[in-house]
Amino acid sequence: MCGIIGFAGKTEAVPILLDGLERLEYRGYDSAGVATISADGRLQVKKSKGRLSVLRELLDSQNPLSGNIGIGHTRWATHGEPNDTNAHPHVGQERKIAVVHNGIIENYLEIKNSLIRKGVVFSSDTDTEVIVQLLEYYYRKKSDLMDAVYAVLNRIKGAYAMGILCSDFPGQMVAAKKDAPLLIGYGKNKNYIASDVTALLAQTKTVSYMEDGETAVITADGVQIFDRDRFLLEKEKHLIEWDVSAAEKGGYAHFMLKEIMEQPEAVRKTISPRLADGEIVMEELNNASELMKNISRIYIVACGSAYHVGMTGKYALERLLHIPVEACLASEFRYSEPLLGESALVIVISQSGETLDSMAALREAKRKGSKVLSIVNVMGSSIAREADYVLYTWAGPEIAVATTKAYTTQMTLLLMLGVYLAKQLNGIEQEEYAVIIRELQDLPEKISVVMNDPDRYQKAASRYFNHNSVFYIGRNLDYALGLEGSLKLKEISYIHSESYAAGELKHGTISLIEPGTLVVALATYEPLVEKSLSNIVEVKSRGAEVIAMTTERIVSLIESQASEVFVIPKVHSLLQPVLGVIPLQLFAYYVALNRGCDIDKPRNLAKSVTVE
Ligand code: G6P
């Protein structure tokens, strides 16, 4: 959730830390801070509640921190309200050691109480402070920093990625990782740590991913990485393919709008390497019949929008593969008793590849003997590394908290996977297969067509942005689509919104429909369009205002019932939601714009959720 950056080099650290924090701010944005060690060996810290801009002003208005080594942090509060004191870095009472930390220390209260009994005075409400106070305590006793680090790691329970500075070692930074992402970046006479690859894109593209239990000592001249037994490791280095400009706004008002507009290209990049000679190819899966051997059910497990992709996948994969498919929220899945084992395939979907609940579900599935296939956007992320098979969505870096291009690429890839497996297992007619392949090729172009008329969505948004409550209704794939449309609206515009299976509405929710209530009725799934039409008429006759979305082929059936109509091109029904989500994203975006919301960084949210 929070972001970490660390730098050890021969030039000033603060500008690099601030640049990295700016690129990380989407991970958490309620407070930020930096610490450096100056040339004369002083540990210095500046931190403040609020956005990074507040920290920048603080650094500009007071003496800027000097030093060629430093750590920085942007916080999404878990323990302790967002304020200056609870912001990271945290410093021990002797002001020798500073720590930035992502994750949660579960036994922090027990450690805190025992340190208080020993006379340690705490200044914050955070779990992180126990790390640094305990470090100073052990360092005093052991007088070796790494001995103290290992003693702390043995004592704490929970998840952590951390960066540590100690004024007795002015040229080095220490890092440790368990259950929260951390990577090392390599440069010439400079090296880095970061919780997220986007923080490093402007500095270096050569990285190593730290594994659980590893620690690292980073100086300007080199990096040493150790395993949990303190043996020195030879770590593989990876080259990041993302370009720094992909993580910049490039003239758009918001990252979200930029990312919406990037969807034709992101979908094209995801599809085209997997189409050859009229066939879907998935080399990553080696042998599909081997993968599906003895599989009698599929669980698709994810969080947030990725779960909504899973809902679409449930309808599509069941139809294509003729076996039960369940879409599960990762946070529920891990604590329920799913029927795992060799006969279950678990598909984990995640943009970041770091979502803690999804990661835990993956581990649980593997532990119980199921094969895990992941659909992930961030290369080398934890979920990608730990799954048996990984399919990457080539969406590029996604910065806006509300996902758009990651969602469409995940959905496209999941549908391709379903069609590919159906073909390998002889479950799809050649004629239908050929239609899907042809339409996959045309999909990026059709997304552009849907996007190229922003006036329609702007007009609807300026008409309805003052509504307090919105219902999304649809059936089958349109129901799954409505879940995402509703989430997009509520997360960035703060309008209360719910999504209902249209047929379920009259079992309770219809009592909330009154004159003027806005209903977004999705009627793109043609096999059920008549039934959807009946549901539209039902809400209309109770006074609802209806925005309908439908395909060009059946618009004449629907338009007389709606105040606004979003029309999208007709494609094969399984691909229809990829086009259908675009108007919903743009409608949500323009509503939020009209309401003056902070679109890229909605309140209380974070892009990557690495705590439970
Ligand atoms: C957060 C993001 C969502 C995302 C969800 C799952 O809530 O704001 O946009 O869908 O996490 O994230 P993941 O990285 O696993 O796809």
Side-chain angles (χ1 to χ4, degrees), residues 208-256:
S208 290
Y209 301 103
M210 288 184 71
E211 300 289 344
D212 284 355
E214 290 178 358
T215 57
V217 176
I218 300 105
T219 65
D221 302 316
V223 177
Q224 290 182 305
I225 304 179
F226 303 94
D227 69 9
R228 59 181 86 231
D229 298 317
R230 300 180 71 170
F231 285 116
L232 189 62
L233 298 168
E234 277 290 320
K235 290 285 283 189
E236 202 181 330
K237 291 184 180 170
H238 301 264
L239 206 62
I240 304 299
E241 295 184 12
W242 288 352
D243 191 71
V244 65
S245 64
E248 287 168 354
K249 258 192 228 159
Y252 282 92
H254 296 98
F255 276 110
M256 183 176 176

Side-chain angles (χ1 to χ4, degrees), residues 379-606:
M379 254 188 109
S381 56
S382 306
I383 291 174
R385 293 204 309 274
E386 290 199 24
D388 299 303
Y389 304 89
V390 55
L391 295 174
Y392 283 110
T393 49
W394 297 112
E398 192 179 62
I399 308 294
V401 165
T403 178
T404 52
K405 62 178 179 171
Y407 172 88
T408 37
T409 51
Q410 286 164 352
M411 187 152 63
T412 308
L413 192 48
L414 184 61
L415 296 171
M416 282 181 87
L417 172 70
V419 175
Y420 169 76
L421 292 176
K423 177 74 191 321
Q424 301 295 312
L425 305 172
N426 299 320
I428 186 168
E429 298 288 336
Q430 181 55 35
E431 201 181 324
E432 185 179 18
Y433 182 72
V435 169
I436 292 176
I437 301 285
R438 209 173 45 244
E439 296 204 337
L440 275 169
Q441 278 158 342
D442 294 345
L443 203 55
E445 182 51 37
K446 296 214 162 125
I447 296 174
S448 300
V449 169
V450 179
M451 279 183 339
N452 280 346
D453 190 7
D455 291 356
R456 269 191 305 181
Y457 316 118
Q458 269 170 3
K459 187 173 138 247
S462 37
R463 184 165 172 191
Y464 293 112
F465 77 93
N466 269 330
H467 279 243
N468 295 326
S469 187
V470 180
F471 293 88
Y472 285 70
I473 59 171
R475 287 171 179 265
N476 198 278
L477 288 165
D478 280 332
Y479 168 47
L481 186 57
L483 292 170
E484 177 61 7
S486 167
L487 178 64
K488 276 299 79 92
L489 185 74
K490 73 184 117 191
E491 65 185 339
I492 61 169
S493 74
Y494 315 141
I495 296 177
H496 166 254
S497 157
E498 289 184 47
S499 174
Y500 266 83
E504 183 64 15
L505 206 60
K506 46 183 144 333
H507 296 288
T509 315
I510 203 162
S511 65
L512 294 170
I513 305 290
E514 53 185 34
T517 303
L518 180 60
V519 174
V520 179
L522 309 178
T524 71
Y525 185 64
E526 291 194 2
L528 294 177
V529 77
E530 270 91 11
K531 300 208 182 292
S532 300
L533 186 57
S534 310
N535 299 129
I536 295 175
V537 174
E538 281 161 14
V539 292
K540 264 208 68 129
S541 57
R542 283 157 183 85
E545 293 253 0
V546 175
I547 298 179
M549 182 167 72
T550 188
T551 62
E552 55 208 356
R553 207 158 69 182
I554 47 176
V555 61
S556 56
L557 270 180
I558 307 281
E559 63 188 346
S560 62
Q561 299 301 326
S563 325
E564 298 279 345
V565 186
F566 299 156
V567 187
I568 57 173
K570 167 76 190 120
V571 287
H572 187 283
S573 64
L574 294 181
L575 300 178
Q576 200 69 60
V578 181
L579 298 185
V581 77
I582 310 289
L584 306 184
Q585 294 168 345
L586 283 164
F587 176 66
Y589 173 79
Y590 288 120
V591 167
L593 197 65
N594 273 294
R595 290 166 72 92
C597 297
D598 190 348
I599 293 178
D600 284 340
K601 294 178 189 140
R603 68 183 178 214
N604 302 338
L605 297 179

Side-chain angles (χ1 to χ4, degrees), residues 136-188:
E136 279 197 353
Y137 171 78
Y138 282 132
Y139 182 52
R140 216 168 32 243
K141 281 180 48 170
K142 295 177 183 287
S143 46
D144 179 285
L145 182 62
M146 287 313 280
D147 282 352
V149 168
Y150 276 90
V152 169
L153 300 185
N154 284 332
R155 179 88 188 268
I156 58 178
K157 294 195 180 111
Y160 50 81
M162 60 175 98
I164 303 165
L165 291 182
C166 175
S167 56
D168 288 347
F169 300 90
Q172 86 174 35
M173 164 169 71
V174 176
K177 176 218 162 8
K178 180 179 162 275
D179 291 338
L182 196 61
L183 46 101
I184 306 282
Y186 301 90
K188 195 158 179 265

